[in-house]
Amino acid sequence: MNLDLVQETLTELGQPAYRLKQVWKWAAQGTASYEEMTDLPLALRTALAERVPFSTLTVEDEARASDGTVKVLMRTADERVLEAVLMRYRDGRRSLCLSSQSGCPLTCAFCATGRMKFGRNLTQWEILDQALHFRRMEPVDHAVFMGMGEPMMNLDNVLGACRLLPEIGITNRRTAISTVGWIPGIERMAADPMPLRLALSLHAADPALRSELMPVNDRYPLTDVIAACQAFYEHKRRMVFVEYVMLAGINDSHAQARALAEILDPRIFKVNLIPYNPTGAFDGSSPKAIEAFRAELERQGLGATVRLTRGRDIAAACGQLAATR
Ligand code: SAH
């Protein structure tokens, strides 16, 4: 729901200022139409329905995995595609994986989105409408910007959405922004008052290998990125989660685990090892190799966990969100 457009329309219709809040309150609570907003005059509900699309996105397709994960393929008004995912956990947590861009301009070697054509940055409203879509299904409480795109390249709109997510049920503390290591974005996030979590996609401690996997490493070298994350921690006192995708024979050796532990301060960083979801060029590390890598990190004193893979059977897992149409 484009709240700027709602506001404009309300002004044109000569409505009092408090109407905007009323409309948003209903929407944020998962209401599915203007019609149901029963504290608005009926004529106003009708006028809004005629003039302001209830969502900036249309749902094109929905897939449900056996583990309860739901993936939706959505389209913007100008026909850009994006995907968003709802993950349901046994402890009751409902976590959303949100997209910040349609496609992605970066070209990480292992990522499916990097191979699709870059569309554009999503607006704040298009980001929120992904969350609202799922909120209409059930209450939601966590979000990660780990869908399509690099959130730091669209940070104004991402932060704009984060400012309103709490009203949908997702507090800033339960929201994580994941980045390839886009330093200006990390710095801005550190300066922002919202207590958002930072996640860093790293995948190799060795600069040459990291550049191969993530060309952005040439622009923002690893040592500078780590320094920016340390500064973030100094400001926020919130640990930074490192995402490390496990690629067989590429970045999963004992020596590479030790090298990783060497560059990461265990007071600041925690590592989340991500089983690779095959999308092309690479093979994922075996569960045994992943466990050995994790154990080595722990031996070096660095906290490390293995990420639970969700929605694999519907290609909704990390890095699989390349729209197929
Ligand atoms: N651009 C941001 C956010 C989107 S990607 C970033 O890179 O952090 C979210 C995470 O999924 C990143 O850590 C990325 O490295 C990981 N990822 C990408 N492709 C993957 C794949 N095929 N299997 C597992 N993880 C993948």
Side-chain angles (χ1 to χ4, degrees), residues 110-111 146-147 149-150 178-180 201 203 243 245 276-277 318-319:
F110 49 84
C111 178
M146 296 182 189
E150 169 53 36
S178 176
T179 178
V180 293
S201 296
H203 318 320
E243 295 157 276
V245 176
Y276 182 59
N277 296 300
C318 322

Side-chain angles (χ1 to χ4, degrees), residues 7 25 29 55 70 136 138 140 170-171 176 211 237 271 282 285:
Q7 176 62 75
K25 190 163 174 240
Q29 287 172 355
S55 175
V70 184
R136 290 192 281 275
E138 61 194 67
V140 290
I170 303 166
T171 63
S211 285
R237 295 286 152 188
V271 177
F282 297 92
S285 307

Side-chain angles (χ1 to χ4, degrees), residues 81-84 97-108 111-122 127 130 144-155 158 176-182 199 201 214 243 318-323:
V81 286
L82 59 119
E83 296 190 308
C97 183
L98 303 176
S99 292
S100 55
Q101 301 180 310
S102 170
C104 185
L106 303 176
T107 51
C108 301
C111 178
T113 308
R115 279 198 301 275
M116 116 189 216
K117 204 169 152 260
F118 175 59
R120 63 164 168 79
N121 282 340
L122 298 177
I127 295 169
Q130 297 168 52
V144 292
F145 282 88
M146 296 182 189
M148 280 184 190
E150 169 53 36
M152 298 299 191
M153 296 177 86
N154 185 22
L155 197 55
V158 167
I177 298 182
S178 176
T179 178
V180 293
W182 197 265
S201 296
M214 306 178 74
E243 295 157 276
C318 322
Q320 293 184 307
L321 300 188

Side-chain angles (χ1 to χ4, degrees), residues 184-254:
I186 298 173
E187 290 172 347
R188 274 197 54 203
M189 228 181 114
D192 192 277
M194 284 184 281
L196 296 160
R197 186 173 290 290
L198 174 65
L200 173 69
S201 296
L202 202 152
H203 318 320
D206 170 58
L209 177 58
R210 186 163 191 266
S211 285
E212 244 173 70
L213 297 174
M214 306 178 74
V216 73
N217 189 58
D218 296 337
R219 177 162 182 171
Y220 296 117
L222 194 49
T223 42
D224 299 349
V225 173
I226 302 276
C229 290
Q230 276 160 348
F232 175 90
Y233 178 81
E234 297 304 326
H235 263 83
K236 301 290 213 188
R237 295 286 152 188
R238 297 213 74 195
M239 288 187 87
V240 177
F241 279 85
V242 164
E243 295 157 276
Y244 192 99
V245 176
M246 299 295 293
L247 305 169
I250 305 279
N251 68 353
D252 64 349
S253 74
H254 259 76

Side-chain angles (χ1 to χ4, degrees), residues 19-303:
R19 293 288 185 218
L20 179 70
K21 271 213 172 103
Q22 281 181 304
V23 171
W24 168 243
K25 190 163 174 240
W26 283 103
Q29 287 172 355
T31 302
S33 71
Y34 293 109
E35 239 154 78
E36 292 162 63
M37 303 182 174
T38 48
D39 56 359
L40 303 184
L42 192 55
L44 175 58
R45 287 181 246 163
T46 310
L48 283 172
E50 277 165 9
R51 298 169 64 151
V52 187
F54 195 75
S55 175
T56 58
L57 304 173
T58 49
V59 175
E60 180 117 343
D61 203 1
E62 186 187 274
R64 286 171 185 259
S66 49
D67 63 13
T69 301
V70 184
K71 173 176 84 165
V72 288
L73 174 66
M74 301 171 126
R75 222 175 252 281
T76 63
D78 62 343
E79 305 288 311
R80 306 293 187 174
V81 286
L82 59 119
E83 296 190 308
V85 181
L86 163 70
M87 291 160 289
R88 300 187 170 112
Y89 294 91
R90 268 196 219 120
D91 60 5
R93 224 163 8 117
R94 296 291 178 265
S95 187
L96 305 181
C97 183
L98 303 176
S99 292
S100 55
Q101 301 180 310
S102 170
C104 185
L106 303 176
T107 51
C108 301
F110 49 84
C111 178
T113 308
R115 279 198 301 275
M116 116 189 216
K117 204 169 152 260
F118 175 59
R120 63 164 168 79
N121 282 340
L122 298 177
T123 68
Q124 169 186 359
W125 314 120
E126 288 162 345
I127 295 169
L128 278 172
D129 273 324
Q130 297 168 52
L132 287 176
H133 170 77
F134 292 114
R135 178 63 189 86
R136 290 192 281 275
M137 288 164 44
E138 61 194 67
V140 290
D141 48 29
H142 286 72
V144 292
F145 282 88
M146 296 182 189
M148 280 184 190
E150 169 53 36
M152 298 299 191
M153 296 177 86
N154 185 22
L155 197 55
D156 283 329
N157 294 337
V158 167
L159 293 179
C162 289
R163 244 167 252 127
L164 291 172
L165 278 176
E167 292 170 60
I168 300 178
I170 303 166
T171 63
N172 292 153
R173 290 188 173 278
R174 291 172 168 180
T175 302
I177 298 182
S178 176
T179 178
V180 293
W182 197 265
I183 293 176
I186 298 173
E187 290 172 347
R188 274 197 54 203
M189 228 181 114
D192 192 277
M194 284 184 281
L196 296 160
R197 186 173 290 290
L198 174 65
L200 173 69
S201 296
L202 202 152
H203 318 320
D206 170 58
L209 177 58
R210 186 163 191 266
S211 285
E212 244 173 70
L213 297 174
M214 306 178 74
V216 73
N217 189 58
D218 296 337
R219 177 162 182 171
Y220 296 117
L222 194 49
T223 42
D224 299 349
V225 173
I226 302 276
C229 290
Q230 276 160 348
F232 175 90
Y233 178 81
E234 297 304 326
H235 263 83
K236 301 290 213 188
R237 295 286 152 188
R238 297 213 74 195
M239 288 187 87
V240 177
F241 279 85
V242 164
E243 295 157 276
Y244 192 99
V245 176
M246 299 295 293
L247 305 169
I250 305 279
N251 68 353
D252 64 349
S253 74
H254 259 76
Q256 284 162 323
R258 279 194 297 276
L260 183 63
E262 222 157 86
I263 61 165
L264 298 178
D265 181 339
R267 287 167 305 179
I268 298 177
F269 296 96
K270 246 195 211 145
V271 177
N272 206 206
L273 299 175
I274 310 178
Y276 182 59
N277 296 300
T279 57
F282 297 92
D283 291 320
S285 307
S286 67
K288 213 175 128 203
I290 296 175
E291 178 46 34
F293 197 93
R294 191 197 64 78
E296 184 57 38
L297 292 179
E298 293 273 355
R299 239 194 317 280
Q300 304 295 325
L302 187 63

